[in-house]
Amino acid sequence: MKQEDDIRQAVQVMRQGGVILYPTDTIWGIGCDATNADAVRRVYDIKKRDDSKALICLVDSEARLQRYVRNVPEVAWQLLEVAERPTTVILDDAVNLAPNLIAADGSIGIRITREPFSRELCYRFQKPLVSTSANVSGYPAAQNYKDIAPEILDAVDYVCFSRRQEHKPHDASSVIKLTRDGVVTIIRK
């Protein structure tokens, strides 16, 4: 299957409220429309994860990030500009997202993806995508397609074909929390 067709299928499934498995700029992820509370609920159910543990989302650009965070602090832009690897920033004042995706303190973990497949997927979808590791909570994350458990594969509505043959180590993103009052906390290096 051509990448363009793969992306078209994934977008169609998400527009209908479905859940997908897809390769990201880090590890394989479970994804859905980050503005659809029912789809987000399904992701929590698939992962067997308590919804008090917030999920992150991916966007394709700085402009799209600004649509979902009320006030992005300048330090976030500086950090993203110098980051040498995928970096998720947790920012205050999330807006326009599914309420069950936003943490109790009003923050959201969000990452601008630079990897070609996930970036094009986000661009074509025109909204943020939930991006959480393709595993049941508490089990190792799926670095490659071959690592995804059958119960996860069976639980989603669409599994992307792109990058299934890849067999190389992938790391999760760095995670840094930036509060509106300037406090910076490294959650994961």
Side-chain angles (χ1 to χ4, degrees):
M1 174 180 280
K2 288 196 270 183
Q3 180 173 303
E4 181 180 314
D5 295 331
D6 199 15
I7 288 172
R8 187 178 305 116
Q9 282 287 109
V11 166
Q12 182 177 348
V13 167
M14 289 188 294
R15 284 193 177 133
Q16 295 168 349
V19 175
I20 67 168
L21 276 173
Y22 67 110
T24 75
D25 54 342
T26 58
I27 55 182
W28 270 74
I30 301 172
C32 70
D33 178 349
T35 67
N36 181 326
D38 292 334
V40 171
R41 163 63 30 227
R42 276 196 58 215
V43 172
Y44 279 114
D45 291 346
I46 290 167
K47 285 189 66 74
K48 298 180 171 99
R49 184 173 179 166
D50 183 348
D51 65 8
S52 68
K53 290 186 165 190
L55 303 172
I56 70 159
C57 55
L58 286 186
V59 292
D60 64 314
S61 66
E62 290 80 0
R64 187 130 15 242
L65 184 147
Q66 289 182 293
R67 294 180 196 163
Y68 299 97
V69 176
R70 188 168 286 120
N71 296 299
V72 180
E74 184 57 37
V75 68
W77 299 122
Q78 294 166 354
L79 179 72
L80 292 171
E81 192 173 302
V82 299
E84 295 180 3
R85 55 180 281 209
T87 301
T88 301
V89 289
I90 301 172
L91 301 170
D92 292 332
D93 304 319
V95 293
N96 305 318
L97 294 165
N100 54 344
L101 185 61
I102 299 170
D105 66 359
S107 67
I108 185 67
I110 196 163
R111 184 168 74 246
I112 300 169
T113 180
R114 307 278 185 226
E115 182 274 327
F117 181 83
S118 55
R119 185 177 187 138
E120 185 69 13
L121 181 62
C122 290
Y123 174 75
R124 294 283 174 209
F125 190 57
Q126 295 288 299
K127 293 183 195 176
L129 272 63
V130 164
S131 184
T132 184
S133 56
N135 62 306
V136 171
S137 222
Y139 287 85
Q143 292 186 28
N144 295 287
Y145 172 77
K146 69 175 181 57
D147 303 323
I148 302 171
E151 71 180 291
I152 299 290
L153 291 166
D154 293 342
V156 300
D157 303 303
Y158 183 75
V159 181
C160 290
F161 287 88
S162 299
R163 294 181 42 207
R164 282 192 189 184
Q165 302 308 315
E166 227 174 57
H167 298 289
K168 63 182 187 178
H170 294 277
D171 292 321
S173 69
S174 297
V175 180
I176 300 172
K177 183 169 178 60
L178 306 168
T179 63
R180 74 179 70 79
D181 55 358
V183 177
V184 177
T185 307
I186 297 173
I187 307 291
R188 180 173 63 209
K189 283 190 175 193

